[in-house]
Amino acid sequence: MRLSRYFLPVLKENPSEAQIVSHRYMLRAGMIKQSAAGIYSWLPLGFKVLKKIETIVHEEQMRAGHIPMLMPTLQSADLWKESGRYDDYGQEMLRISDRHGRDMLYGPTNEELITDIFRSHVGSYKDLPLTLYHIQWKFRDEIRPRFGVMRGREFYMKDGYNFDLTKEDALHAYNRHLVSYLRSYERMGLQAIPMRADGGPIGGDYTHEFLVLADTGESEVFYDSAVTDLTFGDRAIDYDSVEQCQGVLEEFTSKYARTDETHDEALFNEVPEERRRVARGIEVGQIFYFGTKYSEALGANVQGPDGKQSPVHMGSHGIGVSRLLGAIIEASHDDKGIIWPEGVTPFHCGIVNLKQGDAEADAACESLYEALTAAGLEPLYDDRKERAGGKFATMDLIGLPWRITVGPRGLKNGVVELTSRRTGESEELSPEAAVQKIVEIYANHQTGRGF
Ligand code: 5CA
């Protein structure tokens, strides 16, 4: 992309309504624009990162054997009346009536809808196990929408639902989700720690939240610092293996890590004092096993091998896709702007032309642009007639992890400058070597594709 042809409405001033750094940078980098409280338009740069995060989520869900689909945002209230949650959900649910006076709602989650789909089409244990998921906009009329996309009213969520014959099978599905979530967050450059949590309006007492540690997080968390040493890495996993998935769950959840809702002071005090931590965290996902709560209410039964009908065992599993942009920025920024992890960066590399209009500099930038594009990467070429300082400030703000700077002086010596956004370190390389290095860096990162 050439910056002269892109739409990147960068703000110079700090917007006064933004209280936390991620919100501030998302507004300043021209990623989002508020349209109403807690409701945003996703401008091209924000949309691009959103889609990259979404792609990682899809890839990891499909790798775990979960099946993508799409359900609507607007739902009929009938199913919610059947489950009893129409009254329970309270004011967070946006209720609407259509022209015929029928009660509708903008879905805050989809347990009822998916259970209805299941009961209409599945009746036998032979069709199990089954996990369906979608990534769709949700609406919760939060009492205090704040912090930009962190606590929106309209937000983008991945929600997945497993259907199993027995509790054991459903717990395997739970573990499978835990593993796939660990992989997903790590690909986004995040450490998200599974912590024992509370079921809230979804229900079920077997649930973990995934938390990214950050001072601006809304949840208070208590943990053994040893959990922060755990990484999933690129180990191979067989998602069908009950033992392997259970092993990962045990590895990642045996140390003390809880949100304030389930915190147990006596248990916490068993952690050696020097490892006890009280901190704040951003909840970027939650997994639930709730057994037959919805299948009983909605009559979603399956016939077992013995011919008997029984309600199907279920769980639901969410990832806050739009919230993740805020969480990643909270975890990765400095005083100049965002520092995108390679896995989600909107463009792989910036190209800054120090002297736009200089024939040699222009030609060198064009050929870098072509070489990176030919290698399957997306560079963002700042080809505007701007001063170098302004170009650097924009690149630093929008946070591309790598930048190639091209100027007449370097070109005389046959070199360009390659700079890491994270460390600030630069090296002089031939243009070919700079391209080669960027290609190698991204060969080690499975990056999601943007738009
Ligand atoms: N049905 C279950 C799992 S699919 C469910 O709705 N779980 S949830 O309520 O925990 O939401 C899943 C994730 O969505 C949360 O972990 C959080 O990351 C994200 N989320 C929830 N509310 C908001 C909000 N108001 N703004 C942005 N993200 C949100």
Side-chain angles (χ1 to χ4, degrees):
M1 178 59 66
R2 287 170 169 76
L3 197 44
S4 62
R5 298 185 199 169
Y6 200 44
F7 180 62
L8 186 72
V10 162
L11 307 179
K12 291 227 161 49
E13 303 299 323
N14 271 332
S16 57
E17 74 265 32
Q19 297 160 16
I20 61 170
V21 71
S22 56
H23 188 195
R24 201 152 53 230
Y25 284 155
M26 286 186 78
L27 292 169
R28 282 199 46 210
M31 297 177 70
I32 51 170
K33 183 179 187 316
Q34 181 173 308
S35 89
I39 304 178
Y40 292 87
S41 292
W42 292 77
L43 307 182
L45 194 75
F47 180 63
K48 208 160 165 61
V49 180
L50 185 71
K51 288 289 150 183
K52 289 212 162 184
I53 293 173
E54 178 181 355
T55 304
I56 290 177
V57 173
H58 268 303
E59 286 175 359
E60 294 304 328
Q61 286 311 298
M62 290 190 275
R63 194 196 301 278
H66 306 157
I67 305 170
M69 61 176 295
L70 188 61
M71 289 175 268
T73 52
L74 291 182
Q75 304 181 19
S76 155
D78 294 350
L79 288 170
W80 290 72
K81 289 178 181 162
E82 223 180 306
S83 76
R85 277 210 295 182
Y86 192 61
D87 294 327
D88 291 354
Y89 219 95
Q91 291 197 307
E92 260 190 31
M93 184 187 275
L94 182 66
R95 296 152 208 261
I96 308 160
S97 57
D98 69 11
R99 68 198 298 164
H100 306 292
R102 288 191 202 104
D103 293 333
M104 309 281 292
L105 56 100
Y106 193 129
T109 176
N110 283 55
E111 280 79 6
E112 283 76 0
L113 208 55
I114 195 83
T115 309
D116 179 53
I117 291 169
F118 181 89
R119 72 177 174 187
S120 306
H121 297 288
V122 182
S124 161
Y125 74 96
K126 291 181 191 149
D127 298 320
L128 306 182
L130 179 66
T131 296
L132 300 167
Y133 77 93
H134 74 161
I135 301 180
Q136 178 62 291
W137 294 97
K138 304 290 185 293
F139 195 95
R140 294 182 189 172
D141 205 351
E142 301 275 354
I143 190 158
R144 223 150 65 101
R146 59 181 186 155
F147 300 162
V149 300
M150 289 277 217
R151 181 162 296 281
R153 292 199 297 166
E154 189 185 48
F155 61 97
Y156 206 37
M157 181 170 111
K158 171 262 163 183
D159 41 326
Y161 304 85
N162 68 286
F163 300 92
D164 289 278
L165 183 63
T166 63
K167 178 173 180 184
E168 291 69 43
D169 292 347
L171 290 178
H172 173 53
Y174 185 92
N175 298 348
R176 218 170 47 228
H177 279 89
L178 180 124
V179 177
S180 68
Y181 280 25
L182 291 172
R183 282 188 61 109
S184 306
Y185 298 126
E186 282 190 18
R187 280 186 61 186
M188 298 170 200
L190 278 181
Q191 180 172 48
I193 303 167
M195 300 198 182
R196 276 280 294 277
D198 181 73
I202 310 292
D205 51 13
Y206 193 57
T207 174
H208 285 90
E209 286 181 4
F210 289 76
L211 285 118
V212 173
L213 297 173
D215 294 340
T216 47
E218 292 189 289
S219 317
E220 186 171 33
V221 297
F222 301 81
Y223 63 96
D224 175 344
S225 65
V227 292
T228 58
D229 298 333
L230 299 170
T231 50
F232 188 80
D234 56 4
R235 62 179 102 168
I237 184 102
D238 174 0
Y239 278 108
D240 289 333
S241 163
V242 171
E243 292 73 30
Q244 282 187 29
C245 293
Q246 176 71 23
V248 175
L249 173 104
E250 283 167 15
E251 179 185 343
F252 280 83
T253 62
S254 56
K255 305 237 164 28
Y256 191 93
R258 294 188 177 199
T259 61
D260 53 359
E261 299 148 344
T262 56
H263 177 56
D264 179 330
E265 197 66 28
L267 266 182
F268 188 50
N269 286 335
E270 289 173 18
V271 176
E273 195 175 354
E274 70 280 7
R275 298 207 320 242
R276 268 179 241 156
R277 299 282 187 280
V278 181
R280 302 201 72 80
I282 302 165
E283 181 208 323
V284 291
Q286 187 164 6
I287 53 179
F288 302 81
Y289 164 70
F290 44 67
T292 55
K293 172 175 171 178
Y294 297 93
S295 52
E296 276 186 51
L298 296 169
N301 297 318
V302 279
Q303 188 175 43
D306 55 5
K308 283 206 189 105
Q309 295 280 337
S310 58
V312 70
H313 284 259
M314 291 175 60
S316 72
H317 315 275
I319 293 185
V321 175
S322 51
R323 176 179 287 182
L324 272 163
L325 278 94
I328 293 170
I329 297 172
E330 290 295 325
S332 185
H333 67 268
D334 63 14
D335 56 5
K336 294 190 210 133
I338 303 165
I339 306 173
W340 291 116
E342 274 83 355
V344 298
T345 184
F347 295 95
H348 297 99
C349 169
I351 302 173
V352 169
N353 188 344
L354 292 178
K355 200 163 183 198
Q356 202 71 43
D358 175 273
E360 217 187 325
D362 291 2
C365 288
E366 286 298 331
S367 83
L368 280 167
Y369 188 87
E370 274 166 30
L372 288 162
T373 308
L377 299 174
E378 278 187 290
L380 180 67
Y381 171 22
D382 191 344
D383 58 345
R384 297 168 306 159
K385 281 209 157 63
E386 276 255 347
R387 347 169 254 109
K391 291 190 175 186
F392 289 145
T394 300
M395 282 292 173
D396 285 345
L397 175 63
I398 67 171
L400 310 185
W402 299 94
R403 185 187 81 207
I404 301 177
T405 309
V406 180
R409 207 175 322 144
L411 288 176
K412 280 211 173 64
N413 301 320
V415 294
V416 295
E417 195 180 56
L418 178 63
T419 308
S420 156
R421 174 72 181 85
R422 189 168 293 278
T423 66
E425 283 165 17
S426 293
E427 59 178 323
E428 292 195 332
L429 295 167
S430 69
E432 297 73 27
V435 169
Q436 186 56 30
K437 186 150 181 193
I438 304 263
V439 168
E440 278 162 21
I441 288 163
Y442 283 102
N444 296 322
H445 287 275
Q446 299 169 282
T447 58
R449 187 137 190 92
F451 284 86

